[in-house]
Amino acid sequence: VYGFVRQSGGNIRVRSTPGKGTQVTFVLPRTDPPPASAPTARRTGASANARRCPVLLVEDEPEVRKIIRLQLTELGYPVLEADNGVDAEALLAHVPDIGLLISDTVMPGGIGGKALLRFARETRPDLPALLITGYASGDAGDEGDAPGAPVLRKPFDRDVLERTLQTLLIDVEPKP
């Protein structure tokens, strides 16, 4: 929570009074709502094909996973979910239709996002992948490098996710 608040430009105030309890206040910057924009036209090629194939979303925090799943479905992506790297590896190994991997970098259970990405690269080298993290700089896990995947910092909104995925999918689009 502290990382999310600080990354958003805010702070946390904690006041504790013996015998009365503790008050925690989250202070976040106020922002104006984004301007209404015209719906963007769907891209063709790799991004359109990826939207027909399920996205494997791997996130251990249920509420964060729910928000990202809703963003992805609003963008037209079917979503498969896993809450840990072990289940995600099994899905990658047994569901050939998965067209995109989105994984948190740090998860409990021994297989984090970078290890999962290495597994995906070994078994499905052409699978587009995006890592997500809530850490402001780097990540807390020491899993070694995971080259070939952009990292998106949480929290992010649907528009940032859409732009990131469009860039990622255009980069992997086959050249004629």
Side-chain angles (χ1 to χ4, degrees), residues 22-101:
T22 301
Q23 177 185 10
V24 179
T25 305
F26 300 97
V27 181
L28 297 170
R30 180 180 297 229
T31 61
D32 294 323
S37 60
T40 56
R42 293 196 178 230
R43 294 196 180 258
T44 58
S47 62
N49 289 335
R51 287 191 186 174
R52 285 188 217 108
C53 296
V55 172
L56 176 55
L57 172 61
V58 189
E59 168 62 59
D60 60 308
E61 293 293 330
E63 290 301 314
V64 174
R65 191 172 61 247
K66 177 182 175 183
I67 290 167
I68 298 170
R69 180 190 72 233
L70 291 172
Q71 291 174 345
L72 287 166
T73 56
E74 287 174 359
L75 293 170
Y77 294 93
V79 180
L80 296 173
E81 298 178 45
D83 64 0
N84 62 69
V86 174
D87 291 347
E89 276 190 357
L91 286 167
L92 283 170
H94 296 97
V95 181
D97 293 341
I98 293 171
L100 175 64
L101 170 65

Side-chain angles (χ1 to χ4, degrees), residues 3-172:
F4 168 82
V5 170
R6 293 296 296 164
Q7 190 175 353
S8 300
N11 208 335
I12 296 177
R13 294 182 187 145
V14 180
R15 293 186 184 108
S16 186
T17 305
K20 292 191 176 185
T22 301
Q23 177 185 10
V24 179
T25 305
F26 300 97
V27 181
L28 297 170
R30 180 180 297 229
T31 61
D32 294 323
S37 60
T40 56
R42 293 196 178 230
R43 294 196 180 258
T44 58
S47 62
N49 289 335
R51 287 191 186 174
R52 285 188 217 108
C53 296
V55 172
L56 176 55
L57 172 61
V58 189
E59 168 62 59
D60 60 308
E61 293 293 330
E63 290 301 314
V64 174
R65 191 172 61 247
K66 177 182 175 183
I67 290 167
I68 298 170
R69 180 190 72 233
L70 291 172
Q71 291 174 345
L72 287 166
T73 56
E74 287 174 359
L75 293 170
Y77 294 93
V79 180
L80 296 173
E81 298 178 45
D83 64 0
N84 62 69
V86 174
D87 291 347
E89 276 190 357
L91 286 167
L92 283 170
H94 296 97
V95 181
D97 293 341
I98 293 171
L100 175 64
L101 170 65
I102 299 177
S103 178
D104 192 7
T105 55
V106 178
M107 294 179 289
I111 299 176
K114 290 182 179 181
L116 181 61
L117 180 60
R118 284 193 301 273
F119 173 82
R121 292 290 182 247
E122 290 169 7
T123 58
R124 301 178 60 183
D126 295 331
L127 181 69
L130 172 66
L131 294 176
I132 54 178
T133 184
Y135 291 93
S137 60
D139 66 55
D142 184 17
E143 302 179 49
D145 283 338
V151 177
L152 185 59
R153 305 250 180 254
K154 296 183 276 187
F156 49 82
D157 64 21
R158 190 187 76 182
D159 292 337
V160 170
L161 179 61
E162 180 178 32
R163 285 191 304 272
T164 303
L165 292 178
Q166 285 176 347
T167 301
L168 174 64
L169 296 172
I170 287 169
D171 286 346
V172 298

